[in-house]
Amino acid sequence: MLDHDIAGIIGGYHPDPFRVLGPHQIDSGWEIRAFLPGAVAVDLIIGDASHTMAVIHEDGLFVWELKEHPGSYQYRIQWPDGIVQERDDPYRFPLLLSEYDLYLFAEGTNDQAYQSLGAHPVTVEGVAGTRFAVWAPNAEAVFVCTSLNHWNQRAHPMRMRNGVWELFIPGVEAGTLYKYFIRSKLNGYQVLKSDPFAFATEQPPLNASVVQGLTEYSWNDSEWMQFREQTNWLKNPVSIYEVNLESWRYGENGRPLTYDELADQLVSYVSEMNFTHIELMPVTEYPFSGSWGYQVTGYFAPTSRFGDPDGFKRFVDRCHQAGIGVILDWVPGHFPKDEHGLAVFDGTHLYEHSDPRVGEHKEWGTYTFNYGRSEIRSFLLSSVMFWLREYHLDGIRVDAVASMLYLDYQRKDGEWIPNEYGGRENLAAIDFLRKMNERTHTIPGTITIAEESTSFPLVSQPTYVGGLGFTMKWNMGWMHDMFHYFKLDPIYRKFNQTDVTFSLVYAFSENFVLPVSHDEVVHLKGSLLGKMPGDEWQKFANVRAFLGYMWSHPGKKLLFMGQEIGQYEEWDEKRQVRWELLQWDYHRNLQNLVRRLNQVLKEEAAFHEVDHEWQGFEWIDCSDIDSSVISFVRRGSRSEDEIVVVCNFTPNPRDEYRIGVPRSGTYREILNTDWSEFGGSGISAVVEGTVNAEQIYSHGREHSIALRLPPLGVVFLKMQP
């Protein structure tokens, strides 16, 4: 050892500790070197022999010379508190990461980087331990700090290869807490960081990573997975219940439910309500509950707030066994500035852009990923594929896609940089999203959904035609128009009828989801019920009419928790859904309606089979502005699946209201939002449930029917065979 090698090891800045520590051939044979800061004495154990190692530096550098290669050996370490430990030497083991894995990660095409980076319990040469690997190319030195080495920031220096630091530490088991201590090449920056690829973390506000392997969980969802592979979700019923796990329902003492409790209670509730999918607001680990999970620090770790990773797998498994799909809100658009997270990871803007005109979301106080950097693409691709492969999730909903697509998103003139062609589009982000969707769709039956609030073209069209490749896109325009319309006193609605009809102009330009999401029932926007005008009866009637039109409108459905029971208050993540409201008829009956709407959605092909093509919809009349009434036909792939829908958006019943129908025959009322079982006035649109079409010309059709339209009611009519 040269003096500068010793100084580098002792000082914690040596770039290649394997060049100094472990077994090394010297002129007289071999020398074993150990750096164990704080140790009082160290014995070298080779087979049955024990040798007291010489101290060559008081900070804990020990050596022993021998004639032959030692093979396997251990250290017996005596610590100042009298504790004696036996350990294998981390620096006698070979390289473990393959050159191919490192090459793919650097190329930006490795969507399984979580198999190599991060902390993995492994057995090497018969010795059990954990292999650590972290990407920090601008670090001068990186150290593994664990609860076992008392968080010593010099005890376990790592070795760098192609910007990735690795080290196998014998004896480190699953459940061990750890972080990386990073000493940067720049500006004397040094920091303790959580592992970007950690599979588990401490429960916030603590933030250490936890050693957790890719456990061999025994899944029981083969029937669901086989069904999913054969399913085209564009032609199947999709009704999504959006949930914040932390505030859906509390256990004793006001605590959130665990994953296992949610597997019992949430799964049974969603199944009873006939929803097809649960959408989870982010459960990727996040430090601050007030961010609702959208400021992610653990892109490979389910939050420890509700249990361990296997607990989350059990929850997903139970959903699948009940025939319910699970969609995860995934956040590749930005990440928080918390010191233990991705921000300024190795003393440089490694994950984010260095220029704040590209790299920061000032309104959110977060950083944006550098999508043009190949290693970032590998990181993000690996994250999304990790959840789909390892946790059997059925899809992702990508948050804030518009913030990724546009360089000037929420920026004033002069606060953003145009792309190479002078435009506002983020070309690197667009390319990443396309590649992400191409990779995710290699897993049969999975879906990707974009929360995209602009008119960016072809969001849900395949990449081979120039689209972004998402399966579906949220229809934010429909949502805003509907809320504007329903907030109005019904007397003024006739002046705004285009709010409820305009969406059909563009309804088939994308594969839309109609969302009533958490974003629309917070920050003084009011709950769904709270948006409605009138007295209490009219408020509930308006909600019923809103939902009746929503469920019959082309597009898949999404409803945020609490809206199905008519919660008065807007959502607050610090309190659970107001389940006590179900003791009152208004709320219980509204819940009955949502349950029945979901059932009809599943049973009637007209409401789900041709959701994204114009052949599935035809107006009967959208121009009766004075009455605020609209009527239309929904169709499935067969002619006998036709359903006539009539909506009266005023509190005035309308007798003998005539509409043209597609064909002659008897029409049966299959749902009426004004039925008393749903809390309505009990006015049926037809006598004794059916009405015969008459040969009276109306709305350009040879046959028509006369109805009694209920107040603030939506009626579904199906022709009898």
Side-chain angles (χ1 to χ4, degrees):
M1 289 183 291
L2 301 176
D3 288 344
H4 71 266
D5 286 323
I6 295 174
I9 292 295
I10 299 300
Y13 56 82
H14 200 289
D16 185 5
F18 280 78
R19 203 173 75 208
V20 180
L21 303 177
H24 288 268
Q25 195 167 17
I26 58 176
D27 292 340
S28 58
W30 287 83
E31 185 174 72
I32 296 176
R33 308 158 184 166
F35 179 55
L36 297 162
V40 174
V42 179
D43 292 332
L44 177 67
I45 302 171
I46 304 175
D48 296 329
S50 176
H51 313 278
T52 299
M53 300 181 73
V55 180
I56 63 168
H57 197 287
E58 60 184 7
D59 273 6
L61 193 58
F62 300 83
V63 300
W64 180 258
E65 291 187 22
L66 61 166
K67 295 295 184 182
E68 299 177 349
H69 189 283
S72 63
Y73 59 88
Q74 291 81 37
Y75 298 132
R76 182 184 295 123
I77 310 164
Q78 182 178 333
W79 299 103
D81 54 9
I83 294 176
V84 176
Q85 293 178 322
E86 287 194 6
R87 294 183 186 173
D88 282 90
D89 183 2
Y91 300 96
R92 74 172 179 85
F93 292 94
L95 297 170
L96 298 180
L97 295 181
S98 75
E99 292 291 342
Y100 186 60
D101 283 340
L102 295 175
Y103 170 78
L104 291 179
F105 178 69
E107 186 184 51
T109 57
N110 189 350
D111 66 9
Q112 298 186 60
Y114 58 87
Q115 298 278 9
S116 49
L117 279 80
H120 294 263
V122 293
T123 299
V124 181
E125 298 180 357
V127 178
T130 297
R131 185 195 73 215
F132 295 90
V134 61
W135 178 54
N138 301 298
E140 179 181 57
V142 180
F143 304 79
V144 181
C145 302
T146 73
S147 52
L148 296 181
N149 67 16
H150 305 289
W151 303 101
N152 191 295
Q153 296 178 356
R154 295 180 298 157
H156 285 107
M158 305 176 79
R159 161 172 48 192
M160 184 173 77
R161 297 165 58 209
N162 300 330
V164 174
W165 300 77
E166 66 168 319
L167 182 66
F168 170 70
I169 305 182
V172 174
E173 300 175 337
T176 302
L177 302 179
Y178 72 101
K179 283 187 177 183
Y180 298 114
F181 177 66
I182 297 175
R183 189 190 298 276
S184 178
K185 297 175 183 175
L186 304 173
N187 303 321
Y189 180 84
Q190 54 187 29
V191 68
L192 271 173
K193 289 287 189 180
S194 300
D195 188 348
F197 282 87
F199 298 146
T201 68
E202 280 187 295
Q203 186 167 337
L206 302 176
N207 54 43
S209 302
V210 179
V211 174
Q212 169 75 53
L214 294 172
T215 57
E216 296 297 325
Y217 177 80
S218 181
W219 290 90
N220 299 288
D221 62 349
S222 57
E223 185 177 343
W224 168 266
M225 298 298 280
Q226 185 177 5
F227 162 75
R228 193 186 78 179
E229 287 183 11
Q230 302 166 355
T231 299
N232 179 353
W233 290 109
L234 295 178
K235 296 184 179 297
N236 269 58
V238 174
S239 177
I240 303 167
Y241 188 61
E242 187 190 22
V243 179
N244 174 260
L245 292 184
E246 200 164 353
S247 61
W248 179 69
R249 180 178 289 166
Y250 289 161
E252 68 276 5
N253 301 320
R255 62 162 180 81
L257 300 180
T258 66
Y259 289 125
D260 288 308
E261 290 170 329
L262 289 160
D264 290 330
Q265 299 182 39
L266 178 58
V267 172
S268 62
Y269 178 75
V270 171
S271 181
E272 174 197 339
M273 291 297 294
N274 293 315
F275 286 97
T276 65
H277 290 74
I278 295 172
E279 181 176 317
L280 303 175
M281 293 170 66
V283 296
T284 40
E285 190 61 90
Y286 52 98
F288 176 49
S289 293
S291 77
W292 312 333
Y294 290 98
Q295 296 200 2
V296 178
T297 53
Y299 277 81
F300 296 84
T303 179
S304 56
R305 288 167 172 82
F306 319 120
D308 61 16
D310 276 358
F312 185 55
K313 288 182 179 179
R314 289 191 294 271
F315 168 75
V316 175
D317 205 353
R318 286 282 296 279
C319 288
H320 288 174
Q321 292 172 51
I324 298 167
V326 183
I327 299 167
L328 174 68
D329 273 14
W330 185 64
V331 190
H334 63 116
F335 59 90
K337 297 181 179 180
D338 297 62
E339 185 180 66
H340 70 278
L342 299 177
V344 197
F345 191 78
D346 63 356
T348 68
H349 294 284
L350 189 64
Y351 285 84
E352 67 273 22
H353 284 275
S354 58
D355 192 323
R357 293 174 295 174
V358 185
E360 285 191 48
H361 278 306
K362 291 186 177 179
E363 184 173 346
W364 300 339
T366 55
Y367 287 126
T368 61
F369 284 102
N370 183 351
Y371 306 104
R373 188 162 192 167
S374 54
E375 294 91 347
I376 302 303
R377 296 156 83 91
S378 286
F379 174 79
L380 291 172
L381 285 173
S382 295
S383 173
V384 67
M385 298 301 284
F386 170 81
W387 295 104
L388 298 177
R389 289 187 183 123
E390 302 297 331
Y391 284 88
H392 286 204
L393 296 187
D394 304 286
I396 57 165
R397 173 264 196 186
V398 180
D399 178 64
V401 171
S403 74
M404 300 172 66
L405 295 177
Y406 296 106
L407 295 164
D408 63 346
Y409 183 81
Q410 293 184 342
R411 298 177 189 273
K412 300 175 183 177
D413 290 344
E415 293 181 350
W416 61 281
I417 304 174
N419 63 34
E420 59 194 271
Y421 302 107
R424 56 195 285 257
E425 294 78 15
N426 188 333
L427 301 180
I430 292 169
D431 186 59
F432 164 73
L433 289 170
R434 286 173 173 157
K435 284 183 168 55
M436 181 210 73
N437 281 308
E438 289 170 359
R439 293 302 302 146
T440 54
H441 286 109
T442 62
I443 301 177
T446 58
I447 60 176
T448 60
I449 303 171
E451 184 208 15
E452 204 286 307
S453 55
T454 73
S455 57
F456 193 92
L458 305 178
V459 171
S460 59
Q461 300 304 313
T463 58
Y464 58 77
V465 298
L468 291 183
F470 285 93
T471 316
M472 304 174 196
K473 169 185 171 174
W474 276 16
N475 192 337
M476 313 289 277
W478 171 88
M479 177 183 65
H480 291 124
D481 287 348
M482 286 288 287
F483 288 154
H484 177 262
Y485 182 82
F486 270 87
K487 287 178 182 178
L488 297 171
D489 187 296
I491 197 172
Y492 301 114
R493 287 179 179 172
K494 65 181 180 179
F495 304 113
N496 295 271
Q497 186 140 319
T498 54
D499 283 345
V500 293
T501 61
F502 179 67
S503 57
L504 274 305
V505 173
Y506 61 88
F508 311 109
S509 61
E510 299 275 6
N511 303 326
F512 281 121
V513 175
L514 308 182
V516 177
S517 74
H518 66 277
D519 274 330
E520 304 311 314
V521 293
V522 290
H523 300 326
L524 304 181
K525 296 177 184 176
S527 66
L528 181 59
L529 182 71
K531 298 178 192 295
M532 302 302 171
D535 58 23
E536 189 169 36
W537 188 93
Q538 289 195 25
K539 284 180 180 293
F540 277 89
N542 271 300
V543 171
R544 293 193 301 269
F546 179 100
L547 295 175
Y549 182 47
M550 176 179 173
W551 254 252
S552 57
H553 189 289
K556 308 309 181 184
K557 325 301 175 192
L558 179 142
L559 192 63
F560 182 61
M561 65 182 198
Q563 310 316 301
E564 80 278 11
I565 66 170
Q567 183 164 305
Y568 291 105
E569 302 89 353
E570 59 182 26
W571 174 54
D572 180 352
E573 80 278 359
K574 294 184 290 295
R575 63 181 301 176
Q576 68 173 342
V577 172
R578 292 281 306 281
W579 298 110
E580 69 275 12
L581 295 174
L582 290 175
Q583 64 184 301
W584 306 105
D585 288 342
Y586 275 134
H587 303 275
R588 195 167 55 249
N589 291 334
L590 178 60
Q591 186 187 46
N592 289 339
L593 173 64
V594 174
R595 182 186 297 112
R596 178 65 181 142
L597 285 170
N598 280 331
Q599 182 181 350
V600 171
L601 182 73
K602 291 180 177 180
E603 293 174 349
E604 300 296 341
F607 286 141
H608 65 253
E609 205 170 59
V610 195
D611 255 336
H612 307 296
E613 301 168 30
W614 63 266
Q615 292 90 340
F617 179 91
E618 183 183 358
W619 282 116
I620 295 174
D621 185 11
C622 61
S623 60
D624 188 0
I625 294 172
D626 289 335
S627 300
S628 295
V629 172
I630 60 173
S631 52
F632 53 90
V633 181
R634 288 299 312 274
R635 293 190 173 93
S637 58
R638 305 179 306 168
S639 60
E640 58 265 34
D641 291 331
E642 288 179 336
I643 292 180
V644 172
V645 179
V646 188
C647 308
N648 177 17
F649 295 130
T650 72
N652 303 315
R654 303 192 183 279
D655 291 321
E656 292 298 314
Y657 191 92
R658 185 167 294 277
I659 63 166
V661 292
R663 62 192 77 243
S664 63
T666 301
Y667 287 80
R668 177 169 56 93
E669 187 178 42
I670 63 171
L671 188 140
N672 182 334
T673 63
D674 192 53
W675 281 345
S676 54
E677 65 190 270
F678 305 137
S681 61
I683 295 177
S684 288
V686 297
V687 178
E688 297 182 354
T690 61
V691 60
N692 293 320
E694 302 172 275
Q695 197 167 353
I696 300 175
Y697 187 85
S698 181
H699 299 108
R701 303 167 190 272
E702 297 294 331
H703 295 83
S704 62
I705 55 177
L707 306 172
R708 185 184 185 196
L709 299 186
L712 294 170
V714 175
V715 178
F716 301 167
L717 300 152
K718 184 175 182 181
M719 196 183 78
Q720 299 274 55

